[in-house]
Amino acid sequence: MSNHPTDKQIQDAYALAQERYAMLGVDADQALETLAQISISLHCWQGDDVAGFESPDTELGGGIAATGNYPGKARNADELRSDLDKAYSLIPGSHRLNLHAIYAETGGKKVERNELRPEHFAAWVAWAKETGHGIDFNPTCFSHPKAESGFTLASYDEGIRQFWIEHCIACRVIGEHFGRELGTPCVTNVWIPDGFKDTPVDRKTPRLLLKDSLDKIFAEKMDPRYHLDAVESKLFGLGSESYVVGSHEFYLGYAITNDVLLCLDSGHFHPTEVISDKLSSVLTFVDEVLLHVSRGVRWDSDHVVILSDEVQAIAQEIVRGDFLDRVHIGLDFFDASINRVAAWVIGTRSTMRALLLALLEPIDQLREMEVSGDYTGRLALLEELKGLPSGAVWDYFCLQQNVPLGISFMDEIREYEKRELSKRS
Ligand code: RNT
Ligand code: ZN
């Protein structure tokens, strides 16, 4: 017997699963149709440990860290695109790319970050057109001499602030260009590392400075058909343990009053605080949110996403709340201790599996129970659902979408590692 199921086995298992879900009033075909429409933004920075292409000896700053030295990381844009192509080919559906400013291709010429222009991303756009990916974008306000003090947009130094304001404006122009070229709005997300290791005496002034910088960055309105702005908060980072200027409350307020997207990174809160419970609150007051789906483990906010309770809860909130059109789902993790292409594939597939589980819920029935006060029935049904054959539906989805079934995607990863990654020093 072979290790992998045949198409017929997958189809038969799906037919049984479909019947089983139909008994609960759930249409599995419809769930798969919806799932196929969801486009997840894969973060380019998993492919090279957030190094970028500015210079081979740039050190990762900003209080984030990629640990591990698994061989084969992408050393240039062509390698990164090739690795991404491999990853996308192992993930069902059609997905986006999330780029950072340090992934500009300047042809060996030094271009300061406040002077970046759309032409420095021409190869990314050509690739995205060819392969059918939308692109999202991020200014890189770290790993730079002008960010060495730990402060950028909230710096007390006006020159430093001005440099990063110009960089963020340059990035919005580039993002809008992506949106126009690719016919799908680019979400440009501002995250800055600014904060103090030790207890500050003035928590107020840096926040007022940050507000002022953001107002300057967003002064020029952009057409939402091409471009959307987002701001991302954080609780603490390495070296900013006591105070982060761009806190959750700060950006929640900013997003509401300035009509920009709020980015919620699932690794940026207290260990038992979850973003799943924030979605319905935040979406009562802002039009759209951006997610950085990640996994916090102790001090690290960026482990590879797995099918955890919280990722399932996030997916449930999006689906149950009918928020699929208002939530941009992006990923944000970087693990340098395992095969980097596999990290993308595992994290994205797990996120999609969470969405599938949510799409397979008999939500009308559960809602009725809740409204009528039948909390016993709600609890019993929620527990039963965990044992339903969602795996057969997932396998069928992979078959439909022509990507490897089950663990067999690892055969291709290992083959790619041997043929391509192992040649990189
Ligand atoms: C850092 C933020 C931010 C970064 C990327 C590389 O804590 O999560 O989103 O991970 O910009
Ligand atoms: Zn993030």
Side-chain angles (χ1 to χ4, degrees):
M1 235 176 72
S2 128
N3 273 334
H4 299 311
T6 63
D7 290 6
K8 165 104 174 45
Q9 284 172 319
I10 298 296
Q11 283 151 355
D12 290 351
Y14 177 65
L16 289 174
Q18 211 181 4
E19 270 178 45
R20 188 71 204 277
Y21 280 106
M23 289 172 196
L24 288 168
V26 174
D27 182 344
D29 274 339
Q30 180 57 55
L32 292 187
E33 248 172 66
T34 307
L35 186 61
Q37 298 305 313
I38 301 177
S39 189
I40 295 181
S41 200
L42 267 72
H43 52 311
C44 73
W45 54 92
Q46 163 58 51
D48 73 339
D49 315 338
V50 212
F53 311 135
E54 276 182 351
S55 141
D57 35 48
T58 315
E59 268 189 46
L60 179 54
I64 54 179
T67 49
N69 53 5
Y70 199 87
K73 86 169 184 192
R75 296 164 301 182
N76 54 54
D78 288 330
E79 289 181 353
L80 188 56
R81 281 188 283 267
S82 154
D83 293 355
L84 280 161
D85 286 339
K86 186 41 96 186
Y88 287 115
S89 78
L90 304 176
I91 299 165
S94 154
H95 301 286
R96 304 174 63 85
L97 175 74
N98 200 1
L99 262 188
H100 236 285
I102 44 172
Y103 293 82
E105 290 169 89
T106 59
K109 218 178 80 216
K110 179 162 171 63
V111 176
E112 252 316 340
R113 291 196 198 166
N114 58 347
E115 265 147 27
L116 284 170
R117 297 185 36 80
E119 69 217 42
H120 301 123
F121 295 86
W124 283 110
V125 170
W127 169 83
K129 279 187 181 165
E130 213 173 281
T131 46
H133 303 294
I135 298 186
D136 299 307
F137 201 46
N138 303 263
T140 313
C141 302
F142 53 85
S143 305
H144 189 279
K146 285 194 158 62
E148 230 152 54
S149 70
F151 282 83
T152 61
L153 293 177
S155 169
Y156 280 114
D157 180 326
E158 198 192 331
I160 297 278
R161 286 203 307 281
Q162 186 54 32
F163 174 80
W164 292 110
I165 290 169
E166 287 171 17
H167 172 55
C168 290
I169 292 174
C171 287
R172 292 182 78 222
V173 171
I174 294 162
E176 195 205 31
H177 171 79
F178 291 155
R180 281 182 195 276
E181 288 294 311
L182 303 172
T184 167
C186 167
V187 182
T188 299
N189 174 52
V190 174
W191 172 74
I192 57 162
D194 303 29
F196 284 116
K197 179 184 179 74
D198 222 333
T199 318
V201 294
D202 186 350
R203 291 175 182 265
K204 178 181 74 175
T205 307
R207 290 186 169 136
L208 296 177
L209 291 171
L210 176 55
K211 179 188 175 301
D212 185 65
S213 295
L214 293 171
D215 289 347
K216 291 184 169 123
I217 292 166
F218 299 133
E220 198 196 309
K221 291 287 156 243
M222 282 184 171
D223 189 331
R225 280 177 306 167
Y226 308 120
H227 186 265
L228 299 166
D229 294 295
V231 288
E232 178 182 8
S233 71
K234 194 168 183 175
L235 180 67
F236 78 92
L238 298 172
S240 59
E241 289 85 358
S242 299
Y243 168 78
V244 163
V245 184
S247 64
H248 177 56
E249 292 73 11
F250 177 89
Y251 282 126
L252 178 62
Y254 195 88
I256 293 170
T257 48
N258 293 277
D259 201 18
V260 296
L261 278 67
L262 184 72
C263 172
L264 293 168
D265 184 313
S266 54
H268 286 190
F269 294 87
H270 289 282
T272 60
E273 185 180 3
V274 286
I275 66 164
S276 50
D277 184 46
K278 298 184 192 298
L279 285 170
S280 55
S281 295
V282 167
L283 285 164
T284 302
F285 301 102
V286 303
D287 284 343
E288 296 177 34
V289 305
L290 169 66
L291 295 185
H292 274 186
V293 184
S294 186
R295 176 164 53 110
V297 177
R298 306 206 187 277
W299 62 265
D300 177 48
S301 60
D302 299 290
H303 272 55
V304 179
V305 170
I306 57 173
L307 184 54
S308 62
D309 287 352
E310 170 58 1
V311 173
Q312 287 184 62
I314 292 168
Q316 287 164 343
E317 281 304 304
I318 297 173
V319 171
R320 292 174 184 170
D322 207 8
F323 292 138
L324 276 168
D325 292 341
R326 296 171 59 194
V327 176
H328 302 255
I329 307 173
L331 304 175
D332 184 8
F333 48 80
F334 23 101
D335 191 333
S337 74
I338 61 173
N339 182 300
R340 294 171 185 77
V341 180
W344 269 319
V345 176
I346 295 164
T348 314
R349 285 174 70 124
S350 296
T351 305
M352 295 193 74
R353 290 183 80 131
L355 288 160
L356 174 61
L357 281 166
L359 290 165
L360 287 171
E361 281 186 338
I363 186 59
D364 295 338
Q365 197 180 333
L366 286 162
R367 233 188 275 280
E368 264 166 45
M369 288 169 155
E370 188 158 290
V371 172
S372 68
D374 181 9
Y375 306 144
T376 316
R378 179 187 61 186
L379 178 64
L381 183 51
L382 282 172
E383 284 306 286
E384 273 314 299
L385 292 176
K386 294 176 182 169
L388 288 194
S390 65
V393 183
W394 171 255
D395 284 345
Y396 182 72
F397 184 60
C398 292
L399 183 70
Q400 245 186 3
Q401 298 285 325
N402 210 11
V403 299
L405 290 176
I407 192 68
S408 69
F409 75 82
M410 278 304 294
D411 298 348
E412 296 211 25
I413 298 265
R414 301 222 196 273
E415 192 273 327
Y416 185 70
E417 179 162 273
K418 217 160 115 201
R419 174 166 51 83
E420 171 69 31
L421 302 179
S422 69
K423 310 258 154 70
R424 301 176 190 168
S425 54

